Structure formats: C-alpha cells, structure tokens
Amino acid sequence: MQTLAKQILEHASQLPEGTPLAAKELLHLGSRAAVDQVLSRLVGRGTLLRAGRGIYVLPVESRFGTRAPTTIKMVEGLATQRGETIVPHGAAAANALGLTTQVPMRAVYLTSGRSRQLKLGAQMVEFRHAPIWQLIFPGRAAGDVVRALAWLGPEKAGEAIRKLSAKLPASELKEVASARARLPTWMAQEVSALVAHG
C-alpha cells in the first residue's frame, strides 16, 4: 500500500497547483478499491484534501504551513481536466466591471458541466450549470459584460450598458454586440444600443 500512496502523491505533485485529482485517473496505479482506500488514508493524514466525491487536491506547502490551493487555480485545473467552460458568476462579473459594490460572499462559477459543489479547505465553491450563451467569451471583458447583464436582469441592464459604454474600449463593446444572435431578446435589444451609439 505504501508504494501506491507514494505513486499517487508523485502523480499529484506533477500536476499544476490546484489541479483536481480524480480517483478514476489513478486506475493505472491500482484497482479502484485500492486507489479509493489509499486516497481516503491520505485525506485522513492531511496529505490530500477531499474537494468532493471522488475529487482530491494536493494542499500547497508554504513557509506558513499548508493551505488549500487558490479557488482560481482549482477552477482552471477543473476546466482543463474536464473540458468544461467555467466562468465567474454574473455577480462577480458585475463587481469586477464596477457595476456593483457588492462582493459575492461565496465563490460561484457557471459551467457547461453539471451543477455541483466542491470544498477547498474551509471554502465551498459552487458550480452552476448555465446555458451556452452565458458562457461565451471566457476570460474576456465581453463575456463578463454578458454575465453581469444576465445577473442584473432587464430592469437594470440599460443603466449598466450606459456605464459600460463610458468605461470599456469600443472593441470590447463591439465584441458583445457581435454575440446578439446568441443572447436572450431583452439583452440583444439592450446590447444593440451599443452599436447604435457607438
């Protein structure tokens, strides 16, 4: 068993920080029962953190002791590993764009995968399945605009677009406008104002 534990930790240490380790990925090292048993022991020892059912992460060693990997690193690792599109929730996007001073208390992400919750140390990270149009332009301001508008809703969208048109480069606004066909009608109408005034 010791050698299996060593092999699992060696495998985990070669992954970028925060990359989730799935029990299924380790089946080349041993049977599912043996892998599950060793993963459980490693969690018990604090050598691995259990993020969710069948999902583990290696804690990060620092001079202050061990800590859970950053949420961003885990989200990036999960997206790469699972082939999912994962983007910040509209509330976080609205905050990043300066449309609200509310700072989301929980880490919530939208995903093309299934809805689920993962635990990173003391923090709970929520993944909500979202329609494709809310996942467009990942990692770009144009995508944040779409997600922020979706979160703000039709009543506040007009005011938000006026603020954004004064703040964002025209290229980002044009990119948002280029996606009108994929957006809900109310948002497409609001976004059309960007082109009309731009």
Side-chain angles (χ1 to χ4, degrees):
M1 278 298 173
Q2 184 55 42
T3 55
L4 182 54
K6 265 189 183 147
Q7 288 176 300
I8 288 173
L9 289 173
E10 216 168 89
H11 177 79
S13 67
Q14 291 170 2
L15 299 169
E17 178 189 330
T19 301
L21 189 64
K24 286 181 196 171
E25 280 177 67
L26 303 167
L27 296 179
H28 65 285
L29 300 175
S31 70
R32 181 64 195 248
V35 167
D36 284 345
Q37 190 178 28
V38 170
L39 287 170
S40 191
R41 280 195 198 137
L42 291 171
V43 168
R45 281 191 225 145
T47 317
L48 279 181
L49 301 173
R50 186 187 311 269
R53 195 167 157 224
I55 297 177
Y56 304 84
V57 287
L58 195 61
V60 177
E61 300 284 338
S62 72
R63 60 193 181 113
F64 303 110
T66 61
R67 64 167 174 80
T70 64
T71 305
I72 296 294
K73 296 271 188 200
M74 194 190 91
V75 167
E76 287 170 357
L78 194 65
T80 304
Q81 184 186 67
R82 301 279 166 101
E84 292 178 30
T85 300
I86 302 177
V87 294
H89 184 269
N95 179 269
L97 291 167
L99 296 173
T100 177
T101 53
Q102 276 182 290
V103 178
M105 294 303 292
R106 289 188 0 227
V108 181
Y109 291 85
L110 303 177
T111 178
S112 58
R114 64 182 175 79
S115 296
R116 60 199 181 277
Q117 288 190 338
L118 296 179
K119 197 172 182 324
L120 260 188
Q123 187 182 22
M124 199 54 109
V125 183
E126 187 180 342
F127 296 89
R128 293 184 190 160
H129 179 75
I132 294 293
W133 66 268
Q134 282 194 29
L135 304 171
I136 60 175
F137 309 128
R140 311 255 290 284
D144 285 343
V145 169
V146 169
R147 287 179 279 286
L149 292 175
W151 179 71
L152 290 166
E155 304 77 29
K156 298 179 182 170
E159 182 192 340
I161 283 177
R162 279 189 292 284
K163 281 183 185 173
L164 292 171
S165 53
K167 217 180 222 185
L168 291 176
S171 60
E172 292 292 344
L173 299 174
K174 277 191 181 127
E175 195 168 12
V176 175
S178 75
R180 282 177 296 185
R182 296 158 70 184
L183 304 177
T185 305
W186 68 266
M187 196 183 291
Q189 286 170 337
E190 293 291 354
V191 167
S192 292
L194 293 173
V195 184
H197 298 96

